[in-house]
Amino acid sequence: MKSNVFHHWRRDCLPPVHNRRTSRVAQLGCTLICILLTAPALTADEPDSLAALGPAYQRDIRPLLEQFCLDCHSTKQQEGDFDLQQFSGLEQVQRDPQAWQKVDQMLASGEMPPEESLQPSAAQRQTLRAWVQSYLAVAARQNAGDPGHVVLRRLDNAEYKYTLRDLTEVDLDPTREFPSAGSSGEGFTNTGDALAMSPALLQKYLLAGKQVAEHAVLLPDGFRFSLRATRRDWTDEILNRLRTFYEQFVESQDLGSGLAVGYINGHVDTRLGEAGRLPLEKYFAATLAERKALADGSRNIAEVARQRGLNARYLAALWSSLSGSTPSEFPGNLPARWRAAGAQDATALAAHVARWQRGLWKFNPIGLQGRQGSASRWMEPVDPVLTEEEFRLAIPEPAEGETTTEIIVSLVATDAGDGNRHDDIVWQRPRLVKKGEDDLLLYDVRGRSAAAPGEPPWGLDRACFGKHPRCGRIDAASLGARAPSVITVRLPANLAAGRELVTTAALHPRAGKRASVQVDVIAGTPAKTCGLLPSEVTVNCSQVTQVFSAQSKLSFARPILIHKNSPFRARLLTTFANHRRLFPAALCYTQLTPVDELHTTTLFYREDDHLARLMLDKQQQAHLDQLWKELRYVSQADLMRLVALQDMLHSMGPNRDQEDSQYDGIEPLLEPLTAGAATFGEHLVDTEAAHLEALIDFAERAYRRPLIGLENDELRGLYHRLRGEELSHDAAFRLTLARIFVATPFLFRLEKAPPVPTAAAVSDWELASRLSYFLWSSQPDEPLRRLAAAGQLRQPGILADQAARMLRDPRVRRLATEFTCQWLDIYDFADNDEKSEQMFPQFADLRADMYEESIRFFADLFANDGSILDLLAADHTFLNEALAKHYGIGGVQGPAWRRVTGVGAQGRGGVLTMASVLAKQSGAARTSPILRGNWIYETLLGEHLPKPPANVPLLPDTVPAGLTARQLIEQHSSVPQCAKCHRRIDPYGFALEQYDTIGRLRKENLDTRTRLADGNTIEGLPGLQQYLLQQRKDDFLRQFCRKLLGYSLGRAVQLSDEPLLQEIEQQLAGQGARFSVAVQTIVQSQQFREIRGRQMASN
Amino acid sequence: MALPWMESLPVWGNASGQPQDQAPTRLAVLFSGNGFHSTEWWAKGAGAQMELGKVLTPLSDYRERMLFIRGLYNEEALKGNIHSSQTGNLLSGAPLASGGRIHSGTSFDQLIAQRYGHSTKVPSLVLGCEKSIPGIHKNYSLLYSSHISWSSPNCPTPLELYPALAFDRLFNDQADRGDQSVLDAVLVEGKRFRQDISLSDRRKLDEYLNSVREVEQRIERAGQSGQLQGWRPTLQEPNVPRPEDGIPQDLSEHMRLMCDILVLAFQTDSTRVCTLKLNNDISYLRFPHLGVDIGHHDLSHRNNDDWLKVNQFFVEQLGYIAGKLDAIQEGERTALDNSLLMHCSSMMTGSHDATQLPVVLLGGGGGQLQGGRVLDYLEQPNRKMCSLYLSLLDKYGIHLSEFGDSTERLAEV
């Protein structure tokens, strides 16, 4: 029986009950107060005890009933199925307290006796009511704390959705196609009565379970869920995780076809993939900016790294290499440059390091790793140190329309930074080469082409050839030189363009062991001719198939020619190795996948040893290894590779003659890949057991308690039975998982009724679920599960702590949505389709924002333990730009939500001003003071209107001339049979008339002054708020508590809950009406902590 | 297993007294909320000369197969408040629980479905075109406002709002391998929990276990084909494509699709009982496609031309179904001759008047219903909806001595 009788006798008639109640107040922490209610035994010496009520009934009440009620409500007549004659004495009365709640309600609303019947005098009415209320108060105390009859609850759609989300940690929502919910109890969907089951719904549950199970990703040691349901997507998810992991440390850069570092000229499509580059500039910047602080110890590396988001291990390595007492040697003398650098020179230092990287590393494309002759790594070290090097400088044809007559090239030899002793070299037979034409020796150029008059002659004087300045005769067409030397040559374009200048630079045979020369052939003239310059490596491949072969050839710009046994060579190589150790060109291969997918059996490629060495700690390393392990497992790469290889071999088979080299190149892979696939197959079988174990763990979470009895065996049994039906492991696993989602202990909130005739405490696990479904509409989380497992949750202090923790959790938003929005009748407002599109085209775009404002306001109030009275009037709300504009509130830009204060002065704050509420309680095209008023009367204040007359008069379709909408309603409502109700509700609505159908403030001023049924006169929103806060505060709080209690218990509030409601009210009064006080009092109550025994009568 | 399974499985033809080689008589109940226009719901005269109020003009082609019934009411609907308490028992006449509880009665359509449901792929199809609203109105759950079909007093039959899913329910009976093992396991487990819970919770749990059992049976039946003897439907497989996922934006399209599925279900003999709730009682549907951009409930209190237009739009759905069924030849009769269509509301007009209810029947009822008549019970002593249901149940071979609040039949029906 949903009834609202209590506030009447609570105010007027009820004697104080707390003197009879054992009330223990425990102070927990600094704010939590728990109240344990114990029902008092009924004793004869109470003022309104049964002893006094019995005689009074016979003496005063029975005659009044006979006089005014029994004409209709006799045992014979039973008008409205209501028989008052049966209550011949107190004993009979006590059998049906609900009937007397109805009597009280009828008296309160004035509905009975009906107007046309004989009316009791005021005194008689007062006698009747006083007795009924006294009796109800006694009856309430008699069963105080009764947990009540709670109908077995299935998860409602929202609870199913949230539970699934918390269980799977992904937002899968199959409930959209479930039938929408009804309500019962205090008007909430979480009430057992409203949750019907049918075969059609069961099929939906089964289908949903199977669909969710399709989202399970099997892992080597268990499973998790993904938003997606294909292996391909799961693989991509792990790849994304890997990339995300890498990108904490490096910056991904596409190496293109190799121009950034190294170069492959053979195959334009051959990419080198994405490289994880060291973000060196940031590190240099840190060492430069913090140089002094780090040096004098006022700051440490860890601190600087944390502050700048850098890796501490790497920063430490860099710091010690640059600043150590014996700094390492780097090419180009990096430590000295660093010491000389200012805070702004980080970029230059990084560029310097990068230049050297181009000469010290080469890259190979990732594809057919493992093929005969292929490179084993993606990034390999290179030393640009040789005894001779052939240069081929291509001289381009002039671009169209361009006339070039002169081409200048230089043969450059520098001393490699170690002085020029013994630095003698020979440029062997420099010549211009073109395919299909004879070579033209540089020696012959001057003779072949005469220069224009006045211009210097072409080429070189023949006298320069055939001799070395220090070492005597050499080949007649070669040039000798000692570094440093630059031989610049002018060539006529008509001869040189379209040819290559080819020459080999070699150490002169007589050059000593100490010779070290850096040589280069360039177009134009060199900018710099002394010191060691960064080299640059190029990988040359002539055809596509050779991309993967060892036949590629390296060439160098500015190689260092040096004798094999030169001591300087060893020193040079050491500096190069130092550079490579601290500054790898890439720390990892962030591409992860091959870059030439047409020709690959590789699915994923891992190269991150430099990252591991320089940056990762143990934990990070383990995490990374785990990700790779999962990738390999989830992608089933070892199986896929074999399939890919077999496909390739198969496709080459028919063309073996032409493709011999390719076929033979990859055929050797067959054996290891076959073995790998077989091993992986065994591994898959090995991991099946782990999946089944994980499934059992999962069932415990899904059932919200440990498995009991046969459950464990039955789950395993089902799996094996399905395997017996020739389902694969994968299919059997998924179906067993789906089965958990249609299990009774998952779908239903089963609670064991103890085999006792009284109530008893629920178990810790049951209490955990009661708590989590109350506050989060979902399953207990890990801390709650731990406490339940330890049997500690029932301890009042721990229970209070948990409730407090849960209220601060973001999941309290669900309580805001499910409880508050259902109570206030704005549930699912984001889908509201009730407003005229013609008149309010903007509504469709705004409704989700309107709903969001409400939810955020409530969630904020709950999480921050605000006053419940803030619901009636607050000076803040939550807005984004769109809604702020709708409200006419300035200064809110952008789609982000924010708390906005000072809105009271702009007519906002609290539920009365929310667009969601105002629009919901309007018609499609106009406001409805009746709806709004009725909403305040019934929903906010918990009052009940009598039933409307059988044939309510029709509203005129249009407002007659000369009347306002309000006047029209006033006229309509003045019909006496209507006025009885309308005078109670309409005035509230008139006070809100300044707000239009979709909650905007109207520009014109409307008459919002109105007289309430109780005689108070109010004006507009401020008047209404003031009235509610001052005159009706208790009624509002009572209604709030009643709704919250009904929601928390999953049933309608009953007579025996009355003492608890009073308790909550008293607590609220003393503690600023803070929300947590209501919640804490409820969760500590007998109703919340106990369950009726199996033998207990169902009422 | 000690579960309350369906006790007997009578065969449709035998029990209903129809020969098995004759087409079965189908039942469709259409509901629209908030009543009809106060002066335009009427019929007088007989046969082809019958005159119709404007609300009923969409049915004028079917006057000779139409039975217009005036003056019936539902006693229990007068006892509660307004709207939801007038609707949740429309097809059962049962008392409705208030005060946060939900309790009605098994509706007469579901009684037929339960008796014969095993003869077809699905026992009944319960469709809706407006989402039900959570909440409580005037002390009665709004669940009552959106559910006229009840499988049991505790269990409103869930409505299907999605045309595609309704279609799947009829025609997608591909059970996956292993489903039965899963359902078995759920049943065995559920049975164990029955021991530990209270008697009333056991009823709730049985609702679930019965559903599991029924789905399981359906999977079993799907595996056995070609066992039907005698009469065969004129269509074996759907002859229209599966509707698109989701609910159509346009209301008229939504209703049209649901009507098509109803007809298809009858034509393929996938079910013989169908309830179509066109909207809720207290309905917020708007009708922009009719140029009426006002909520249905709001309109019902105005009783103007727009209201009439919307009434006609609802009745057009009945006419559309009748037309489609009439185009399906089943031997000498059409499917309309072999069907019984009923359209009703839970109040006469928008002003909550439930002292007489609008009822119109259409179709031949397999030769058992004589159309072209107007029956007026307003001044008769026996004028209960439940009396009508007793008469209709007779036509389906279910002969009860009482149903709801009635023990009498309407002799003329």
Side-chain angles (χ1 to χ4, degrees), chain A residues 862-1056:
Chain A
F862 296 169
N864 295 309
D865 202 9
S867 163
I868 298 165
L869 297 171
D870 279 0
L871 291 172
L872 291 179
D875 196 32
H876 70 276
T877 191
F878 290 81
L879 297 173
N880 64 4
E881 183 173 338
L883 193 61
K885 270 203 178 127
H886 183 67
Y887 284 169
I889 292 175
V892 179
Q893 266 109 38
W897 287 89
R898 73 214 71 182
R899 189 185 159 101
V900 179
T901 52
V903 297
Q906 304 184 69
R908 301 291 164 182
V911 297
L912 295 166
T913 69
M914 288 179 181
S916 57
V917 168
L918 291 164
K920 178 70 198 177
Q921 304 302 330
S922 290
R926 56 166 171 78
T927 58
S928 168
I930 300 176
L931 285 179
R932 287 179 182 171
N934 185 57
W935 179 84
I936 290 172
Y937 189 73
E938 292 197 328
T939 303
L940 283 191
L941 297 175
E943 305 268 15
H944 289 273
L945 285 177
K947 185 178 172 179
N951 258 316
V952 302
L954 295 165
L955 279 179
D957 192 38
T958 48
V959 179
L963 285 183
T964 65
R966 172 174 172 173
Q967 286 163 338
L968 171 67
I969 290 171
E970 282 173 332
Q971 202 177 67
H972 161 81
S973 303
S974 66
V975 180
Q977 62 186 123
C978 303
K980 197 166 76 175
C981 292
H982 282 282
R983 55 187 283 273
R984 301 192 206 185
I985 56 174
D986 297 358
Y988 296 120
F990 295 143
L992 290 174
E993 267 298 272
Q994 200 60 48
Y995 297 86
D996 77 359
T997 307
I998 55 173
R1000 288 174 300 195
L1001 276 167
R1002 301 187 210 256
K1003 290 199 176 67
E1004 70 280 17
N1005 279 325
L1006 271 79
D1007 176 14
T1008 60
R1009 194 175 159 84
T1010 177
R1011 191 177 147 89
L1012 302 173
D1014 63 7
N1016 280 286
T1017 298
I1018 60 172
E1019 183 166 5
L1021 175 79
L1024 177 59
Q1025 285 178 324
Q1026 202 179 13
Y1027 167 78
L1028 292 173
L1029 283 171
Q1030 287 173 5
Q1031 316 278 317
R1032 308 300 299 274
K1033 184 177 108 179
D1034 291 346
D1035 294 325
F1036 170 73
L1037 286 177
R1038 157 63 53 123
Q1039 171 74 348
F1040 182 88
C1041 294
R1042 155 184 287 269
K1043 291 294 159 188
L1044 187 65
L1045 181 62
Y1047 177 82
S1048 75
L1049 298 178
R1051 64 162 168 80
V1053 166
Q1054 58 192 34
L1055 189 57
S1056 58

Side-chain angles (χ1 to χ4, degrees), chain A residues 722-744:
Chain A
L722 294 171
R723 292 300 299 268
E725 293 174 28
E726 293 182 358
L727 261 63
S728 66
H729 166 72
D730 193 88
F733 171 86
R734 288 181 200 282
L735 208 45
T736 312
L737 180 57
R739 179 250 180 280
I740 291 174
F741 294 122
V742 286
T744 311

Side-chain angles (χ1 to χ4, degrees), chain A residues 2 149 152 176 180 183 185 197 204 210 714 721 725 742 753 833 835-838 947 950-951 957, chain B residues 78 80 100 132 135 139 141 155 160 162 176-177 179 181 184 192 196 200-201 207-208 286 293 304 351:
Chain A
K2 180 170 141 176
H149 174 56
L152 176 63
R176 272 177 300 119
S180 45
S183 310
M197 183 50 93
K204 290 191 179 194
K210 289 201 275 191
E714 280 178 355
R721 188 165 149 196
E725 293 174 28
V742 286
D833 193 26
K835 300 301 145 208
S836 164
E837 286 158 51
Q838 287 164 4
K947 185 178 172 179
N951 258 316
D957 192 38
Chain B
L78 302 177
S132 52
N139 211 19
S141 172
C155 184
E160 188 53 78
Y162 290 78
D176 292 335
R177 205 148 44 125
D179 278 5
S181 299
D184 269 350
R192 264 203 313 275
D196 290 340
S200 58
D201 280 358
E207 237 176 52
Y208 180 62
R286 292 176 297 110
D293 211 354
N304 55 11
S351 58

Side-chain angles (χ1 to χ4, degrees), chain A residues 1-3 80-81 105 149-152 176-189 191-206 210 703 705 708 710-711 714 718 721-722 725-727 735-736 738-739 742-745 747-748 750-754 822 825 827-828 831 833-839 920 923-926 934 938 944-957 1052 1093-1094 1098, chain B residues 38 76-82 95 98-102 131-139 141-143 147 151 154-162 165 169 175-190 192-193 195-202 204-205 207-215 218-219 245-246 249 284-286 288 291-295 297-298 300-304 306 349-355:
Chain A
M1 184 80 200
K2 180 170 141 176
S3 163
D81 276 348
Q105 194 184 328
H149 174 56
V150 179
V151 178
L152 176 63
R176 272 177 300 119
E177 293 181 343
F178 288 2
S180 45
S183 310
S184 58
E186 288 296 329
F188 299 101
T189 56
T191 317
D193 262 339
L195 299 161
M197 183 50 93
S198 72
L201 181 54
L202 186 269
Q203 274 180 314
K204 290 191 179 194
Y205 272 132
L206 181 60
K210 289 201 275 191
Y703 293 0
R705 57 161 170 73
I708 48 172
L710 299 170
E711 285 172 341
E714 280 178 355
L718 174 64
R721 188 165 149 196
L722 294 171
E725 293 174 28
E726 293 182 358
L727 261 63
L735 208 45
T736 312
R739 179 250 180 280
V742 286
T744 311
L747 285 178
F748 288 88
L750 287 169
E751 291 178 338
K752 194 167 174 165
Q822 285 189 42
D825 200 19
Y827 194 58
D828 271 349
D831 294 331
D833 193 26
E834 299 165 9
K835 300 301 145 208
S836 164
E837 286 158 51
Q838 287 164 4
M839 293 190 64
K920 178 70 198 177
R926 56 166 171 78
N934 185 57
E938 292 197 328
H944 289 273
L945 285 177
K947 185 178 172 179
N951 258 316
V952 302
L954 295 165
L955 279 179
D957 192 38
R1094 232 175 295 166
S1098 69
Chain B
S38 66
E76 288 298 329
L78 302 177
K79 291 183 178 172
N81 212 297
I82 53 171
S98 61
R101 292 193 309 118
I102 288 176
K131 199 174 146 180
S132 52
I133 307 154
I136 286 188
H137 181 251
K138 304 284 177 197
N139 211 19
S141 172
L142 278 171
L143 202 73
H147 291 82
S151 307
N154 295 310
C155 184
T157 320
L159 296 155
E160 188 53 78
L161 292 174
Y162 290 78
L165 296 180
R169 187 156 148 69
D176 292 335
R177 205 148 44 125
D179 278 5
Q180 260 181 308
S181 299
V182 166
L183 296 172
D184 269 350
V186 173
L187 274 180
V188 169
E189 170 191 70
R192 264 203 313 275
F193 292 116
Q195 316 307 316
D196 290 340
I197 55 181
S198 69
L199 213 62
S200 58
D201 280 358
R202 242 176 252 178
K204 203 75 195 166
L205 186 57
E207 237 176 52
Y208 180 62
L209 298 177
N210 283 333
S211 302
V212 175
R213 173 84 176 161
E214 199 174 315
V215 172
R218 192 178 158 197
I219 294 173
D245 285 330
Q249 275 292 306
Y284 293 96
L285 291 184
R286 292 176 297 110
V292 181
D293 211 354
I294 292 179
H297 175 239
D298 203 352
S300 77
H301 281 280
R302 302 186 182 199
N303 207 48
N304 55 11
D306 283 346
T349 65
S351 58
H352 317 134
D353 175 15
T355 56

Side-chain angles (χ1 to χ4, degrees), chain A residues 650-839:
Chain A
H650 183 73
S651 68
M652 288 172 184
N655 305 316
R656 277 208 61 172
D657 287 349
Q658 293 145 29
E659 303 284 348
D660 254 2
S661 63
Q662 281 199 42
Y663 188 95
D664 293 345
I666 60 174
E667 200 270 343
L669 279 171
L670 193 54
E671 197 187 317
L673 289 197
T674 305
T679 312
F680 183 73
E682 286 164 26
H683 178 53
L684 279 182
V685 175
D686 288 345
T687 52
E688 288 178 0
H691 298 152
L692 206 51
E693 292 311 312
L695 198 63
I696 299 294
D697 288 347
F698 182 80
E700 298 209 326
R701 284 197 291 130
Y703 293 0
R704 307 178 277 274
R705 57 161 170 73
L707 298 189
I708 48 172
L710 299 170
E711 285 172 341
N712 189 327
D713 291 345
E714 280 178 355
L715 279 177
R716 293 172 195 273
L718 174 64
Y719 167 82
H720 290 298
R721 188 165 149 196
L722 294 171
R723 292 300 299 268
E725 293 174 28
E726 293 182 358
L727 261 63
S728 66
H729 166 72
D730 193 88
F733 171 86
R734 288 181 200 282
L735 208 45
T736 312
L737 180 57
R739 179 250 180 280
I740 291 174
F741 294 122
V742 286
T744 311
F746 171 72
L747 285 178
F748 288 88
R749 291 183 46 198
L750 287 169
E751 291 178 338
K752 194 167 174 165
V756 294
T758 55
V762 295
S763 74
D764 281 279
W765 286 104
E766 287 161 351
L767 189 58
S769 279
R770 283 192 177 187
L771 201 55
S772 66
Y773 279 94
F774 173 25
L775 299 178
W776 290 345
S777 302
S778 181
Q779 60 175 14
D781 68 348
E782 203 45 45
L784 280 176
R785 292 173 55 81
R786 272 201 303 275
L787 287 166
Q792 294 173 338
L793 192 58
R794 279 184 287 180
Q795 294 172 24
I798 289 180
L799 184 59
D801 285 345
Q802 288 305 308
R805 172 182 74 86
M806 293 170 75
L807 286 176
R808 290 190 301 266
D809 188 283
R811 278 169 283 195
V812 87
R813 180 186 163 96
R814 300 168 182 175
L815 179 66
T817 310
E818 302 302 317
F819 162 65
T820 325
C821 295
Q822 285 189 42
W823 166 42
L824 297 177
D825 200 19
I826 52 171
Y827 194 58
D828 271 349
F829 190 82
D831 294 331
N832 185 296
D833 193 26
E834 299 165 9
K835 300 301 145 208
S836 164
E837 286 158 51
Q838 287 164 4
M839 293 190 64

